[in-house]
Amino acid sequence: MNPDEKALVDDLESDRFMCGADHGYWRLVARAGVLVTFDLVTFDLAAKNGRQVGVRLDCSGYPGVAPTGQLWSVPDDAPLPVAQWPQGGRASAVFNPNWSPNFGGAFYFPYDRRALDGHGGWASAHPGHVWGVDKTVVDVLHLLREVLRTATTPTIDAAGQEEAS
Amino acid sequence: MRIYVHDSEGKRVVEADEAATLADVTGADAGAKIWAEDASEPLAADATVGLLADRDVVAVHVGKGQVTVSVTYEGVAKPESFGPGTKIDKVLDWATGRDGFNVPEGDRDDLVLRLKGSTDPLDPDTHIGTLAGKGDTLALDLLPGDKFAG
């Protein structure tokens, strides 16, 4: 097993990752080497329902290099069509249909190595979100959930039924 | 059964049978109290693991007492007391909700909690008793999440 894959597996077996999974924040769907697929779940207290979105992360060079990711259709095991991307709130910027498709569907935030290229200013503008060896795939998943929580489409009722505690 | 044991320093995972007492499982010192996650009152001293078996996540906090959280939003601070095993996302629900700052529903989801004066993200399943450390107070800021542009 290569060092990046070993580091990824270690973090997927960490208490922090397991605690998030047990709370229903995410589910590990599949892993093939350094390619790993998750279902992310957010929970809307008012609506008593959740929004569920698949993501795939390419963790080549992990953890020295930030992953790059894309939204993923778990049922189709394929990239999620742009028309189905969550939008609204911070989601419109992170899942940017005008930028991301040109970069493999990458997330427009500092935990995606493709987005980091050309955005050196993010480190000073967002010191709480600087990728380093202290960050793990768990940080990526938490940030994605934080962004996903702000999305307004697709509607929560249409997107999923699973509850997170 | 897998049990997450949180305290003032962090969390660890232990495996235990339902018949085991939480005091034994956690190794809590005499005088310490054990709180179920998100509970406002401590468990009985002789409570067993089985008492929490119907929960999706079996997590407890070993601590001394409640934590008084002061959340500041748009220059106004509001205090509230919670059990030390309260998750940060439950405090967020309180802070944005009717009993907190009553933030309009369309704006609530954009807000996050950070340690006062910090921009570092907080895991939503972090217990406030861990963030408070050995103390019994915790100061947080309620502010919009980072927007990445440029």
Side-chain angles (χ1 to χ4, degrees), chain A residues 15-16 18-20 22-23 25 44-46 90 93-94 108-111 119 122 125-129 135 138-139 142-143 145-146 149-150 165, chain B residues 2 4 6 11-13 37 56-57 59 87 89 92-93 105 108-112 114 119-125 144-150:
Chain A
D15 293 350
R16 191 172 170 227
M18 291 303 300
C19 194
D22 284 347
H23 277 101
Y25 297 161
D44 185 284
L45 277 176
R90 296 160 66 196
V94 172
Y108 195 77
F109 68 15
Y111 290 168
H119 291 101
W122 279 354
H126 306 287
H129 291 100
K135 301 294 187 196
V138 178
D139 294 284
H142 277 312
L143 182 55
R145 285 189 75 252
E146 190 180 288
R149 193 163 53 92
T150 71
S165 60
Chain B
R2 180 161 57 204
Y4 293 94
H6 301 243
K11 68 170 174 271
R12 65 186 194 281
V13 177
E37 187 166 78
D56 293 336
V57 182
K87 300 195 305 292
D89 64 355
L92 178 62
D93 289 339
E105 277 198 20
R108 289 181 188 179
D109 289 339
D110 193 40
L111 299 173
V112 297
R114 302 287 186 252
T119 59
D120 290 340
L122 299 172
D123 288 0
D125 51 359
D146 278 8
K147 292 180 173 60
F148 309 110

Side-chain angles (χ1 to χ4, degrees), chain B residues 3-104:
Chain B
I3 305 168
Y4 293 94
V5 180
H6 301 243
D7 59 22
S8 62
E9 296 181 354
K11 68 170 174 271
R12 65 186 194 281
V13 177
V14 298
E15 295 284 340
D17 295 331
E18 289 190 20
T21 67
L22 287 164
D24 287 341
V25 168
T26 61
D29 295 333
K33 295 175 182 174
I34 300 173
W35 311 66
E37 187 166 78
D38 288 334
S40 56
E41 298 296 333
L43 295 161
D46 59 352
T48 62
V49 172
L51 189 67
L52 305 175
D54 62 342
R55 293 183 167 225
D56 293 336
V57 182
V58 180
V60 296
H61 192 99
V62 179
K64 291 181 294 186
Q66 289 203 321
V67 175
T68 300
V69 179
S70 176
V71 176
T72 301
Y73 177 58
E74 295 183 335
V76 177
K78 285 196 174 185
E80 182 64 61
S81 292
F82 298 92
T86 305
K87 300 195 305 292
I88 201 74
D89 64 355
K90 185 164 184 181
V91 177
L92 178 62
D93 289 339
W94 165 79
T96 58
R98 194 176 306 157
D99 296 331
F101 292 97
N102 199 20
V103 178

